Amino acid sequence: RERRRHRPGTPTLRHVAEDDRTLDVAATLVAAAAGPSRGEVLVSLRELEAELTAAEDARVAAALRERSIDWSAAPAPLDAEPVVEVRWSWSTPPTAGAATVLSATVTNRGPPLHRAALRLESVNPAWDDLVLPLGKLDRGATRTGTVGVALDPGLPTRTDRVAVALEADGISTRALPSRDVTTIGEALPPLAITARAAPRGDDGTVRVTLDIDNRSDRLLGGLVARFAFPDVDGIELLDARTPPTSVAARSSRQVELRLRVGPDWSAATYPLDVTVSDDRVRRLAAWELALPRDGAAVRLEPPTLTIEAPPTVLPPGTARIKVRATDDRALDHVVVYAGLETVNRARVTPAVEHARDKVAWRAGRGRRADLTLDLPVLAGINRYVIVAEDKAGLRTVRDVYVLGDEGGGGVTVLPD
């Protein structure tokens, strides 16, 4: 990636990513410089580039040799067009919250290749900048490159177009046929919380009980609740978090956190931010909590969104999405945003950008709202953000993705 970002001739180094070795390389460059200025260090880098590159290439080769990959350099630039055949496979289908291994079995039908690798690019960060090293490929030889991918929990179902490039020593990067990858998504389990504060003790301690309702159909293990550090004077957290616990499907569990409240606290509520996580998801829920001092219970239950989504791949045009939003008390509104996702590769780390516009808004009338939306599908990765907010200001947000396929919907999905 760094070599593509810089102008031709800019010195860069490949190295095995170890912090101590990186510091060693930096120390070598600084020690060899004639002075402390940036220009003098760059002169030092140019003078030492060949030596350092050879040393680091040897370390890369040694690391890959442990995976039975021959990373020897090409004896000369390639004077013929590379020709390869690629077959793809997964260890398991890509699924939110699970790990999988992507394999590419490459047969070389052209001249010998050295330091060959496949590099992937995608708007979806899960598939972007993945490298499957192959190493030396003689004519007629077949090798399999692999890369492991761990998909975060709670990702939506989506199909992404993935560009594939062949890289090898002595050749310029060659584009190969792109692939479409479908991720099997999942919705995060819905939660609700009932909070209550006990009277302040003589030492200033306030015990807060949280009844956590698991409104999903699966067990939540390692469930932890915590308050964020209060950004006010007069409230101190005595407990960083609750001990991990489990909550069965469609059941609840009571946990407790303690505060220390100063004697001068006179406001009617304690302003707190509560978050809940489990052993799969760092943050299942995050809400602002204005907890009454008088012991009155506060119920935090965000709206529920049920979405009938379109196919993940459509030709440019429109996509029909049916949405039902419900709330335990009263909805305030439902709003929908739409736009393409793109990748800004001008940054050191590529950033996904969503150029979205508000395309629909519906005021809440009671506890339920039903919407049938015909939303624009443009060529590329279309992301639709659906937000339901209730009268208490609690929100539920869901994403729907559609790949706008200019080829009319023809999709080749990994594996072959």
Side-chain angles (χ1 to χ4, degrees), residues 63-238:
L64 291 174
R65 194 178 304 119
E66 296 179 1
R67 295 174 57 182
S68 300
I69 296 174
D70 180 353
W71 203 248
S72 56
L78 203 66
D79 58 0
E81 189 73 16
V83 181
V84 296
E85 296 175 358
V86 186
R87 299 190 308 277
W88 301 89
S89 63
W90 299 98
S91 59
T92 57
T95 303
T100 186
V101 176
L102 172 60
S103 299
T105 300
V106 178
T107 300
N108 183 16
R109 301 300 186 190
L113 299 175
H114 294 257
R115 293 183 178 174
L118 299 182
R119 185 181 299 272
L120 310 185
E121 283 190 358
S122 172
V123 173
N124 188 339
W127 316 123
D128 190 48
D129 206 35
L130 297 184
V131 178
L132 292 81
L134 301 164
K136 184 180 179 182
L137 276 172
D138 291 322
R139 183 185 295 272
T142 297
R143 287 197 62 86
T144 298
T146 62
V147 63
V149 181
L151 294 166
D152 293 335
L155 295 176
T157 296
R158 59 186 290 180
T159 297
D160 293 281
R161 185 140 297 157
V162 179
V164 183
L166 172 68
E167 298 179 348
D169 202 15
I171 68 168
S172 57
T173 300
R174 297 292 196 273
L176 300 179
S178 62
R179 317 296 297 183
D180 285 0
V181 180
T182 296
T183 301
I184 302 170
E186 66 169 6
L188 291 179
L191 298 179
I193 288 180
T194 301
R196 183 181 286 106
R200 178 181 176 276
D202 293 339
D203 61 353
T205 299
V206 174
R207 296 183 181 275
V208 179
T209 57
L210 302 173
D211 289 293
I212 303 177
D213 293 340
N214 176 8
R215 299 191 293 158
S216 75
D217 294 321
R218 67 174 178 84
L219 171 74
L220 299 181
L223 201 74
V224 170
R226 56 170 58 86
F227 290 136
F229 183 81
D231 192 20
V232 294
D233 293 330
I235 297 180
E236 176 188 359
L237 300 182
L238 296 179

Side-chain angles (χ1 to χ4, degrees), residues 48-70:
L48 294 175
E49 181 185 8
E51 176 185 338
L52 291 173
T53 296
E56 295 307 304
D57 280 352
R59 299 180 73 246
V60 172
L64 291 174
R65 194 178 304 119
E66 296 179 1
R67 295 174 57 182
S68 300
I69 296 174
D70 180 353

